[in-house]
Amino acid sequence: MSTNPPNLRPDLANARVPHDAPRATFSEPQRKGQPTIGMVSLGCPKALVDSERILTRLRAEGYAISPDYSGADAVIVNTCGFLDSAKAESLDAIGEALSENGRVIVTGCLGAEPDYIREHHPRILAVTGPHQYEQVLDAVHTAVPPSPDPFIDLLPASGVSLTPRHFSYLKISEGCNHKCKFCIIPDMRGKLQSRPAHAVMREAEKLVDNGVKELLVISQDTSAYGVDIKHAEDRGHRAHITDLARDLGSLGAWIRLHYVYPYPHVRQLIPLMADGLVLPYLDIPFQHAHVDVLKRMARPAAASKTLNEIAAWREICPDITLRSTFIVGYPGETEAEFQTLLDWLDEAQLDRVGCFQYENVAGARSNALPDHVDADVKQDRWNRFMEKAQAISEAKLQGKVGKRMDVIIDEIDEDAATCRTKADAPEIDGNLFIDEGHEKLTVGDIVTVEVEEAGEYDLWGRVV
């Protein structure tokens, strides 16, 4: 089970899982007569968290999890519907599940368009929308009635995790209050709905108690956490991202923040990074740099102020790593506007950069904008953008040669240990490889290495 193909590089950030994505696998023996469910999870980490919650509930009700289609009584496909290309991949995944198993329940973002799904796949058993856990369970109960054994079907307190044991995604809210013209996520997942801070902390504490070394904080707009509930304080925890980050930092795990909009109060997070409570890493979706393009996107248009903010962040925490994603070829984007983006990237010197070419999404307001950019122009601009981003990445990584840093070990095989530095999020950023003396290392360990070599996106080092 994964949310991104293993060869994903920073230049492919925001890519969606292909239809042959790995499925959930568990090593528990299946008892005789136990109902069995398979699952394929597509899309972003937020969808992965949804899949984990669904499987946790199913396991608690006595269902086994099948590693393949043939061993399942039914298959759940958790879909992505952010882009038309993602919709196509989701339809492919549903088609494959129908072909291999025949009994398929669809959920997730594309599930917000049930007629569209049934038009292509009328044989599916049920369709539910994103984070509709009860409706998914009802559909499973109808298709495959539960048959729990209270003496055998006992679920560990940590629940079901679809990530390696040493890291876990921690979703702090659902939905989004932004109205970006290219995005339909608010239509699919609704407005911002923040979880109570004490509930987030309780989940985080359980994860850390069960061996999780890194918590990846995710939402659609992490900076806005708590706005909808007026930053309520309950049981000693306040629903504000700064307070939550400080509280999470007290648990002793790596805390990594994703999808942080550059609101002014974000600067309050940087001292926490400088003090080591939170990883010095910000994932910020800038999307573009030209004021007119940002206005057409219906996004905050203050690129020059953003550069000032970046400079201020780096002054407080020189080791901060900045990741972002951008859209090229947005409707109406001129060559001059694109050149402004390149110049901005030169000045911003972001560490991790992803980019995708604009494409229409059914229901998005940007579809109706004039002056859509030709496909060959979009491809040319993507190539030029990524060439510059790659050069910046390579230069920054070369500057790390000879330095010592802590890394977390994700995987070990006969050739090397695959690790990540504090500057690398799982599956979307680079890796550090230890190809000598790695035999005695253990997945999930955090060790100190000295960097010996650098490439365009990856590092190589030795254990100190």
Side-chain angles (χ1 to χ4, degrees):
M1 173 67 68
S2 70
T3 56
N4 283 308
N7 63 345
L8 185 64
R9 305 300 331 142
D11 58 312
L12 296 177
N14 284 3
R16 291 300 185 260
V17 179
H19 66 273
D20 59 349
R23 303 168 224 344
T25 58
F26 297 90
S27 58
E28 304 160 346
Q30 182 179 350
R31 61 177 169 79
K32 186 177 180 180
Q34 186 174 18
T36 304
I37 300 296
M39 186 168 220
V40 179
S41 188
L42 309 177
C44 64
K46 294 181 286 296
L48 186 73
V49 173
D50 291 342
S51 296
E52 290 177 338
R53 290 179 178 175
I54 292 168
L55 290 178
T56 295
R57 292 284 299 273
L58 291 174
R59 280 287 294 108
E61 293 182 353
Y63 290 90
I65 309 303
S66 174
D68 52 48
Y69 291 126
S70 60
D73 296 311
V75 175
I76 300 171
V77 179
N78 193 357
T79 59
C80 177
F82 182 57
L83 300 173
D84 285 352
S85 55
K87 291 182 179 181
E89 289 170 349
S90 292
L91 290 176
D92 286 347
I94 296 167
E96 180 180 316
L98 284 169
S99 175
E100 297 291 330
N101 182 277
R103 296 169 58 79
V104 176
I105 296 165
V106 178
T107 188
C109 286
L110 189 57
E113 302 180 48
D115 293 341
Y116 174 79
I117 297 172
R118 290 190 182 278
E119 178 184 344
H120 291 84
H121 296 298
R123 292 195 297 122
I124 57 174
L125 299 177
V127 183
T128 73
H131 57 89
Q132 293 182 343
Y133 309 121
E134 298 302 328
Q135 290 90 328
V136 176
L137 293 171
D138 288 345
V140 172
H141 295 161
T142 300
V144 186
S147 179
D149 185 328
F151 298 102
I152 298 177
D153 299 322
L154 301 177
L155 186 67
S158 60
V160 174
S161 176
L162 301 181
T163 56
R165 291 188 61 185
H166 60 283
F167 72 80
S168 180
Y169 293 102
L170 182 67
K171 188 194 290 189
I172 63 173
S173 67
E174 274 291 357
C176 181
N177 289 342
H178 290 283
K179 297 181 179 179
C180 304
K181 287 188 177 181
F182 57 82
C183 182
I184 59 171
I185 286 177
D187 296 328
M188 293 187 294
R189 290 184 170 261
K191 292 186 176 182
L192 178 69
Q193 300 176 58
S194 299
R195 297 177 61 195
H198 69 85
V200 175
M201 286 301 300
R202 184 170 65 246
E203 180 182 353
E205 288 165 356
K206 288 181 178 180
L207 289 168
V208 173
D209 288 344
N210 282 280
V212 169
K213 304 285 186 66
E214 178 181 10
L215 295 171
L216 299 104
V217 177
I218 57 170
S219 66
Q220 198 58 44
D221 181 359
T222 297
S223 306
Y225 170 68
V227 169
D228 57 311
I229 54 177
K230 303 185 187 308
H231 302 303
E233 183 171 351
D234 188 11
R235 303 176 211 184
H237 300 287
R238 178 171 175 254
H240 188 284
I241 186 56
T242 306
D243 298 76
L244 181 64
R246 185 183 296 109
D247 291 346
L248 291 172
S250 69
L251 300 180
W254 282 13
I255 308 298
R256 190 180 301 277
L257 302 179
H258 284 284
Y259 317 125
V260 179
Y261 282 72
Y263 302 141
H265 68 263
V266 168
R267 67 188 64 157
Q268 300 169 15
L269 292 168
I270 312 305
L272 302 182
M273 298 178 181
D275 292 341
L277 282 176
V278 178
L279 290 185
Y281 180 102
L282 276 182
D283 178 2
I284 302 180
F286 289 123
Q287 306 297 11
H288 211 278
H290 195 283
V291 60
D292 292 336
V293 177
L294 291 168
K295 286 180 179 178
R296 291 198 297 274
M297 290 178 170
R299 291 181 63 81
S304 60
K305 293 182 180 179
T306 300
L307 287 172
N308 293 335
E309 283 294 306
I310 289 173
W313 299 339
R314 286 174 170 155
E315 185 174 349
I316 298 170
C317 183
D319 292 334
I320 192 169
T321 295
L322 299 178
R323 137 168 285 284
S324 190
T325 52
F326 296 86
I327 300 172
V328 296
Y330 191 77
E333 183 189 58
T334 65
E335 178 60 28
E337 290 170 342
F338 175 68
Q339 186 60 50
T340 296
L341 174 58
L342 293 183
D343 295 341
W344 185 92
L345 189 61
D346 257 336
E347 191 166 353
Q349 291 286 300
L350 301 181
D351 304 86
R352 302 282 187 264
V353 173
C355 180
F356 59 90
Q357 300 174 42
Y358 172 83
E359 63 178 82
N360 282 339
V361 178
R365 293 180 296 154
S366 57
N367 299 353
L369 289 174
D371 303 321
H372 281 241
V373 179
D374 290 341
D376 56 344
V377 175
K378 287 191 287 188
Q379 182 65 49
D380 174 69
R381 290 177 183 172
W382 186 89
N383 291 340
R384 289 155 61 195
F385 181 94
M386 288 315 307
E387 183 179 2
K388 182 176 289 293
Q390 186 179 80
I392 292 172
S393 174
E394 187 172 12
K396 281 182 168 284
L397 293 184
Q398 285 293 335
K400 296 184 178 183
V401 173
K403 293 185 177 181
R404 293 187 175 188
M405 57 186 65
D406 291 337
V407 301
I408 191 166
I409 301 172
D410 283 341
E411 184 180 348
I412 300 173
D413 58 29
E414 61 182 13
D415 297 320
T418 302
C419 317
R420 289 179 292 108
T421 72
K422 294 179 179 180
D424 302 305
E427 300 177 325
I428 60 172
D429 292 328
N431 294 112
L432 183 143
F433 300 99
I434 302 171
D435 51 15
E436 291 183 3
H438 59 281
E439 297 83 4
K440 297 182 180 180
L441 300 176
T442 303
V443 170
D445 282 352
I446 296 176
V447 299
T448 302
V449 301
E450 181 174 316
V451 179
E452 296 181 312
E453 186 179 346
E456 294 169 341
Y457 298 116
D458 299 314
L459 298 169
W460 286 260
R462 63 177 181 85
V463 178
V464 175

